Every structure is written in C-alpha cells, then in structure tokens.
Amino acid sequence: MKRNWEVIREILIRLEELPNTDVGLQLPDFPAEKAYDYAYHMELLIEAGMIEGQMSRSAGAGHAHFFVHRLSWDGHELLDSIRSSTVWEKTKKTFASKGIEMTFDLVKSVATEISVSLLRGI
C-alpha cells in the first residue's frame, strides 16, 4: 500500500482540531469504505513519531483499530508546513513536476521553502 499524503494531511488537521488530549480519533470517525487506508496511515504516523496513540488488531478483523489523541512536536511541525491550502497545492505540484516521490523530510523542506518565498513576495 502506498502512502497517501491527502490522508496524512487530513489526519494531522483533524488531530489538531481536537479540543484536548482526553479526546481522540478512532476508526469509526472515518469513512468505513476507507477503513484500511486510515488504519494504515495512522500506524505509519505513529511509527514515524508524528502522532501519539495506540493500534490494536483483532483476530480476523482485517484492519487495525486505533485510538490517537495528539500530535507530537514533529507532527505539529509537519502540519505547520503543509496546513495552508496554497502551500500544500504548490508543494504537490513541485513534486509532480520534478517526478520525485514525497517523503516526510522533503515535504516539510519544500513546503517551508514555498512558505518563505510567499512571505518574501516572490
């Protein structure tokens, strides 16, 4: 399964919108038809240290269930770099035009460069 950066960005945004860390996101909070996508990406984000939460698998359930409750510092940093729709669209176009795969480090770097150039009016 490939990483889906739209799903990653959506998860980060939704986590940041939670009122506090006593509340969390769980599998039923997402569309049932995309359960595998969301469970997979939650697990990736936990493994990468971008979010905090737990994964649990039931025998025969197919996809993993999760409870995630907060962004880590790195998760906030990544989201801060891609939150703006303008920056996000330009970031995706940059990768597509160069034919380069999106990685966490490169996405953050390219999005930051785009933000800086927007701030400078370039």
Side-chain angles (χ1 to χ4, degrees):
M1 183 175 247
K2 290 184 84 171
R3 282 188 296 200
N4 180 327
W5 279 92
E6 294 296 338
V7 170
I8 290 168
R9 183 172 177 265
E10 177 189 350
I11 290 168
L12 296 176
I13 289 170
R14 289 187 63 182
L15 263 174
E16 184 186 54
E17 291 173 346
L18 294 175
N20 59 59
T21 58
D22 293 334
V23 179
L25 296 176
Q26 300 179 57
L27 192 56
D29 296 324
F30 297 91
E33 66 274 6
K34 293 184 177 183
Y36 284 101
D37 287 343
Y38 286 99
Y40 179 74
H41 286 84
M42 287 293 184
E43 192 164 24
L44 286 177
L45 288 165
I46 290 169
E47 288 172 354
M50 299 288 164
I51 63 176
E52 291 185 10
Q54 298 82 34
M55 300 295 296
S56 65
R57 297 188 193 288
S58 302
H63 52 270
H65 292 274
F66 54 82
F67 178 80
V68 294
H69 56 95
R70 70 182 288 269
L71 296 171
S72 67
W73 183 270
D74 287 338
H76 277 285
E77 291 290 303
L78 177 60
L79 178 57
D80 287 346
S81 70
I82 62 174
R83 178 183 293 106
S84 160
S85 294
T86 301
V87 171
W88 179 236
E89 291 305 317
K90 288 183 182 225
T91 299
K92 292 188 305 183
K93 284 180 186 174
T94 299
F95 280 95
S97 70
K98 304 292 182 188
I100 299 171
E101 294 296 320
M102 297 172 78
T103 68
F104 281 116
D105 291 336
L106 283 176
V107 166
K108 187 176 169 191
S109 178
V110 168
T112 299
E113 287 180 31
I114 290 169
S115 295
V116 169
S117 62
L118 287 171
L119 285 170
R120 291 184 178 154
I122 297 174

